[in-house]
Amino acid sequence: SDVYKRQENMSLMVLHLHEKPEPRFYAVVYSRPKTDEDGNPLLQVSCCISSTEQAEQLLLLNAEMTKLHGAMRIELFKIGYLGVGLTAQCDDLRRRMNAVFEEFFMPMEGMVQPGEETPKEEYPSLVLVAPEGVAALSLERLPLLQGCFRSVTLELSAHFMLARMRSQDGVGQISLDDCSYVVDAQNESNSSCPLTEMFDTCLKAKDCGMSKWSGVSGAAHTVTQGEWQQALLGAAQARRSFAFYGMGKCLAALEPSSLVGLNLDGLPCLILLDRTENDKAFQAAVKAENDKLPPRTRAETAYGTAALLSLRGVSTVVLNRGPTGFHANHKCLQQLTTVKEYAKKVKGGVALATIVRQVVTEIMDAGLEPLMATPVKADKKPKGKKGKDSKRDGRESAMSTATEATDGSAAEDESSWFKDKLGQRETGMSMFCVGLGFNTIK
């Protein structure tokens, strides 16, 4: 009941995996689209159970995606984007996943569908509690959920959600104007991936609104565990959001043993722009991974990282699900900071998860659409000398191709299934939101 008092226009879906004696998925959705005669909200519930065959298919798809992440990682660090072969494999896996979930969720479709006269800006937010058994699948991008909810946030459990909300003391907004950060913690930036240089450019760019950001860079020396702890604790005490922008996995640079003793209850949002690699970072990571025990490897997965940070008190975690290209990661940073500037102008606010979805999938939010005449990626360029413009356009075209990376979108295929199904093709970015993603940007 506390959850619904705190967030009036929110639905909760719980997806549970029961493995023995045979695998089955159980799904239940709680929503409150109706009120009684006195205007009091009526809680509505709908549930469904998968067949054994559906459950086995989903577990197999999760295993396939996990294996595919390994192949993607190698190709991304070598050329910066996915080739045609891996892109086709990702597309096929996404189609099969959507087909299974569409059949599985069919009994609940009537519950989650908004009314025909409901404006898109009044669509509810969804919190989706999902098990680790399907952590590699992009559940927040399922067509049914994309079309029925203004934002989709993943969660570890309903208990976690309630604990996060209580820790915020009624604060339902997140600020990205004044953030702490750690950049290139292992000093792995080079000419092919000028991470530090491009981050500094964003700090100075007026349209990104990052002038108040402050933090630690590994450009001069490797960021120590003590510096990590000081940066995180300082952000938590000041209730500032925190961002990590660097190579490899965050918990490969920040030792889990350095994290478990920290109290981060005041940290409203932690953004991890990681899981990108150049040759130096890849070689160092592979060498280190050979000596890591399974629990450490599990902690470095996207699900494990979100769980560990949540246990320490972080309210909202935004991170990449799988490996990503350098240019795709930088584009995420640019668009996330640019779109949040528009979001502050929307009456009633825009949820953080909504902004993440717009950045990742290019599906324009109804509240932001009137303010943004064109998508952020489609900046109009002034006419100038043909030679210079031609060269610049060529470079930007190459960068755009590089961003079609991690989750399997096909830039060349304009008639792709995703465009037909959602009206917008996907960018290939793999960022998603865990926790209080329904909180609005201020």
Side-chain angles (χ1 to χ4, degrees):
S1 60
D2 287 345
V3 169
Y4 284 96
K5 290 178 182 178
R6 297 283 293 278
Q7 182 63 26
E8 291 297 325
N9 195 23
M10 185 183 75
S11 296
L12 172 66
M13 178 182 288
V14 179
L15 185 63
H16 172 70
L17 171 61
H18 188 76
E19 298 187 69
K20 297 179 180 180
E22 55 186 18
R24 288 286 184 97
F25 279 97
Y26 295 79
V28 58
V29 60
Y30 302 87
S31 62
R32 48 183 305 187
K34 296 181 180 180
T35 58
D36 61 18
E37 296 178 354
D38 298 326
N40 298 316
L42 294 175
L43 184 66
Q44 291 192 308
V45 183
S46 181
C47 60
C48 60
I49 305 174
S50 75
S51 64
T52 302
E53 181 182 1
Q54 289 172 334
E56 290 174 344
Q57 287 177 340
L58 292 176
L59 293 174
L60 179 61
L61 287 171
N62 187 78
E64 285 185 41
M65 179 54 81
T66 302
K67 184 178 180 180
L68 199 58
H69 280 171
M72 292 163 64
R73 180 185 180 187
I74 295 174
E75 190 156 298
L76 286 169
F77 100 81
K78 285 184 176 180
I79 62 176
Y81 60 94
L82 293 188
V84 176
L86 281 179
T87 296
Q89 290 184 53
C90 291
D91 279 351
D92 177 66
L93 194 148
R94 181 71 64 79
R95 292 188 184 96
R96 288 186 285 144
M97 177 191 78
N98 288 342
V100 175
F101 271 109
E102 186 174 355
E103 182 180 1
F104 173 29
F105 286 162
M106 190 175 296
M108 300 190 300
E109 187 172 0
M111 172 69 72
V112 300
Q113 287 284 358
E116 295 181 0
E117 299 181 357
T118 304
K120 289 186 177 180
E121 56 269 21
E122 294 181 12
Y123 278 17
S125 299
L126 176 70
V127 175
L128 173 58
V129 178
E132 189 176 6
V134 288
L137 302 180
S138 304
L139 303 182
E140 73 281 358
R141 300 195 201 177
L142 292 172
L144 174 63
L145 305 184
Q146 293 264 29
C148 297
F149 298 97
R150 193 175 178 186
S151 70
V152 180
T153 305
L154 297 189
E155 186 53 279
L156 307 174
S157 72
H159 304 84
F160 258 117
M161 182 174 66
L162 185 57
R164 294 182 207 268
M165 298 182 77
R166 286 176 172 170
S167 72
Q168 287 298 294
D169 296 329
V171 179
Q173 291 185 307
I174 297 172
S175 173
L176 298 181
D177 291 333
D178 185 16
C179 290
S180 300
Y181 64 78
V182 169
V183 175
D184 193 17
Q186 305 280 16
N187 193 18
E188 294 168 320
S189 179
N190 59 16
S191 57
S192 62
C193 297
L195 190 148
T196 306
E197 178 184 342
M198 295 184 76
F199 184 81
D200 289 341
T201 301
C202 286
L203 286 177
K204 299 173 183 177
K206 294 182 179 180
D207 57 344
C208 289
M210 298 170 59
S211 60
K212 295 182 180 179
W213 286 34
S214 60
V216 183
S217 171
H221 66 276
T222 300
V223 179
T224 66
Q225 298 302 302
E227 288 175 317
W228 267 105
Q229 291 176 323
Q230 289 176 6
L232 287 167
L233 286 173
Q237 291 169 3
R239 290 192 174 272
R240 301 174 71 191
S241 295
F242 186 93
F244 170 63
Y245 184 57
M247 300 288 179
K249 302 166 185 173
C250 177
L251 291 190
L254 171 62
E255 294 287 339
S257 58
S258 299
L259 177 63
V260 294
L262 303 182
N263 181 1
L264 303 178
D265 279 342
L267 197 60
C269 179
L270 197 153
I271 301 172
L272 299 180
L273 289 160
D274 59 354
R275 302 182 188 275
T276 183
E277 294 172 315
N278 55 15
D279 184 68
K280 179 181 178 181
F282 178 80
Q283 297 296 340
V286 170
K287 182 179 179 180
E289 287 167 4
N290 290 331
D291 298 325
K292 291 179 180 178
L293 298 174
R296 174 65 183 272
T297 303
R298 185 181 181 188
E300 292 180 5
T301 64
Y303 188 94
T305 299
L308 187 54
L309 290 169
S310 299
L311 285 168
R312 301 319 311 140
V314 180
S315 296
T316 307
V317 183
V318 180
L319 72 167
N320 291 316
R321 176 173 277 105
T324 182
F326 169 72
H327 293 294
N329 220 27
H330 185 68
K331 186 178 179 182
C332 260
L333 172 65
Q334 287 180 310
Q335 294 196 0
L336 186 65
T337 53
T338 301
V339 176
K340 59 96 173 171
E341 291 297 301
Y342 289 100
K344 292 186 293 185
K345 302 176 184 178
V346 177
K347 184 178 180 180
V350 179
L352 175 61
T354 302
I355 296 176
V356 171
R357 181 177 75 170
Q358 179 164 321
V359 169
V360 172
T361 67
E362 296 179 356
I363 298 176
M364 185 73 72
D365 177 66
L368 289 167
E369 193 167 7
L371 299 174
M372 302 176 68
T374 58
V376 175
K377 69 162 193 172
D379 294 332
K380 294 184 179 180
K381 309 176 188 65
K383 294 182 180 180
K385 295 181 180 180
K386 293 183 178 179
K388 291 184 178 180
D389 285 347
S390 177
K391 291 180 181 179
R392 181 176 61 184
D393 291 347
R395 289 195 300 269
E396 292 183 356
S397 177
M399 183 177 290
S400 177
T401 302
T403 63
E404 307 306 325
T406 57
D407 238 5
S409 66
E412 306 87 356
D413 187 5
E414 290 299 330
S415 60
S416 68
W417 181 86
F418 300 111
K419 185 171 182 179
D420 293 340
K421 191 76 174 179
L422 296 177
Q424 298 277 350
R425 68 174 178 80
E426 298 204 26
T427 64
M429 301 175 190
S430 64
M431 181 176 284
F432 68 107
C433 216
V434 177
L436 305 184
F438 50 80
N439 280 346
T440 56
I441 292 293
K442 65 176 180 180

